[in-house]
Amino acid sequence: MSKPFVADKHFKNEDFTQNPLARAVYEECVFEGCQFQNGFLDNQNFVDCTFRECDLSNTNVAYTLWNNVFFESCKLVGVAFDKSDPALMTIQFDKCNLTLAVFYGLTLHKTDFSGSNLSQADFTHTDLTEANFTDCNLDNTVFENTNLSKVNLSKAFNFNINPEVNTLKKARFSKEELIGLLKKHDIVIE
């Protein structure tokens, strides 16, 4: 059974916590100020969509397709993006709260996380080649067996990245934050 098609629709200040968004293919839609927290966005298709100032905390996104989706100033606490459909996944974030978000095993080339809070997020086995973490809080964020080649970590802060278990070829860092590569050695720099 094919999903209904919804295009060019603007959803503003809608509450989808009690009545979930209908399963459909959403193309070039804007979701602004909408509430999805603790709800279900599973098995959806979002193509060329924007989520602005929405709360998607702890929302189930299993098998959801995110193709060219932009999140701006959204709350995405605990969202398990690794359960989404990895095919065609292209997502961008600007000033979002991604605390405890899970990106395990995904390929997220050139993904922009600018200005986002990624505290305790999980990037284990994730390919982040050429991703942008400018001005991101990476406190207790997990990077393990992660490809960080050509990643921009300039102005990122609170990170703890072990160069021995991650690929960091041509990654960019600010001088002030290089201590984040040495934390595992428990050394003192004065």
Side-chain angles (χ1 to χ4, degrees), residues 2 20 26 32 40 43-44 78-79 96 103 105 110 116 129 148 188:
S2 64
Y26 293 90
E32 185 175 0
F40 295 89
N43 294 292
Q44 300 282 18
V79 175
C96 291
F103 298 94
K110 298 182 179 181
S116 295
T129 301
L148 295 162
V188 177

Side-chain angles (χ1 to χ4, degrees), residues 145-186:
N145 296 311
T146 305
N147 186 348
L148 295 162
S149 298
K150 298 182 182 179
V151 165
N152 184 358
L153 285 152
S154 63
K155 298 183 183 174
F157 52 97
N158 295 329
F159 61 84
N160 183 0
I161 299 172
N162 182 349
E164 295 173 12
V165 296
N166 294 289
T167 303
L168 294 167
K169 189 174 183 176
K170 297 196 179 197
R172 295 186 324 197
F173 297 90
S174 301
K175 284 187 252 181
E176 300 80 21
E177 297 298 330
L178 282 177
I179 189 70
L181 296 174
L182 303 170
K183 285 183 182 173
K184 88 166 212 96
H185 298 293
D186 198 25

Side-chain angles (χ1 to χ4, degrees), residues 57-72:
S57 296
N58 298 311
T59 299
N60 180 344
V61 295
Y63 308 105
T64 294
L65 180 105
W66 308 99
N67 185 353
N68 195 32
V69 176
F70 180 65
F71 295 93
E72 179 184 356

Side-chain angles (χ1 to χ4, degrees), residues 17-114:
T17 58
Q18 299 302 316
N19 295 309
L21 182 69
R23 287 201 174 114
V25 175
Y26 293 90
E27 188 171 309
E28 296 186 12
C29 292
V30 175
F31 297 87
E32 185 175 0
C34 295
Q35 303 299 310
F36 298 95
Q37 65 269 27
N38 300 309
F40 295 89
L41 275 182
D42 56 317
N43 294 292
Q44 300 282 18
N45 289 16
F46 296 103
V47 180
D48 298 324
C49 291
T50 298
F51 288 81
R52 187 177 298 121
E53 298 178 355
C54 294
D55 189 346
L56 292 94
S57 296
N58 298 311
T59 299
N60 180 344
V61 295
Y63 308 105
T64 294
L65 180 105
W66 308 99
N67 185 353
N68 195 32
V69 176
F70 180 65
F71 295 93
E72 179 184 356
S73 301
C74 289
K75 188 173 180 184
L76 298 134
V77 175
V79 175
F81 285 99
D82 63 323
K83 304 297 183 203
S84 297
D85 186 340
L88 306 172
M89 183 180 278
T90 48
I91 48 181
Q92 305 295 327
F93 304 92
D94 182 46
K95 297 179 188 81
C96 291
N97 183 350
L98 289 151
T99 301
L100 297 167
V102 180
F103 298 94
Y104 182 94
L106 294 175
T107 298
L108 298 172
H109 292 187
K110 298 182 179 181
T111 299
D112 192 350
F113 294 94
S114 294

